Amino acid sequence: HVQGGALVGFSIILRGDKDLIRTLDRLKGSTGSKIVRPAVRAAMSPINKDAKRLAPVETGLLKKSLGVMMLPSRRTRRKGTIVGTVGPREGFKQVIDGKPRNPINYAHLVEFGFWNVRLQRLIPPKSFLRAAIDKHAASTLSIMKGRIRAGLERLVRSR
């Protein structure tokens, strides 16, 4: 099940594949996380690649900053929740034409558009993340399931 969010993003809730969920629940310690985290990262990769392709280019900084980030499991509220995001990453600050630029501070303005007070006009949205998410939403779940199954098979073979 893939679910859209209020902000740019979406969540994948693994439901319906009871055997897969039951097997992951039975794993001890961080073993399940070691299988699921790479699967989530792999599932988010096509979204990231397409978002980079669709990102508008003024300086190229926004496009360069886009990446897949995994939220540390200690920061999630629910046990067993693994969060992967696509968006601008830290460490891409630059001074361009004498002005400091940080894509984290303006990516949402590009995505959703904004009212430019100085120009007194609406700057239209240039959706790059939502378009990438919409294009890959269906395939993301199947990529993740396939990677989780492969990880479980490797785990069984190694024992």
Side-chain angles (χ1 to χ4, degrees), residues 100-116:
R101 291 285 190 96
N102 186 350
I104 289 175
N105 295 335
Y106 64 82
H108 65 287
L109 299 174
V110 175
E111 180 72 21
F112 297 118
F114 64 99
W115 178 260
N116 187 317

Side-chain angles (χ1 to χ4, degrees), residues 7 17 52 72 95 98 109 113 135-136 157:
L7 297 174
D17 199 330
K52 281 183 179 254
V95 176
L109 299 174
K135 180 177 178 183
H136 296 284
R157 279 195 301 267

Side-chain angles (χ1 to χ4, degrees), residues 10 40-55 62-69 84-89 92 128-137 139-140 143:
F10 70 107
V40 170
R41 182 175 289 282
M44 302 299 277
S45 185
I47 295 170
N48 182 53
K49 190 175 180 179
D50 220 31
K52 281 183 179 254
R53 184 182 62 77
L54 296 169
L62 174 60
K63 183 180 288 233
K64 194 185 304 181
S65 75
L66 293 176
V68 177
M69 297 148 294
T85 62
V86 173
R89 297 170 289 167
F92 287 88
F128 57 98
L129 281 171
R130 173 54 56 193
I133 289 168
D134 289 345
K135 180 177 178 183
H136 296 284
S139 64
T140 300
I143 291 170

Side-chain angles (χ1 to χ4, degrees), residues 59 61 91-103 106:
T59 64
L61 191 58
F92 287 88
K93 296 177 187 174
Q94 283 186 4
V95 176
I96 299 172
D97 296 331
K99 297 178 185 173
R101 291 285 190 96
N102 186 350
Y106 64 82

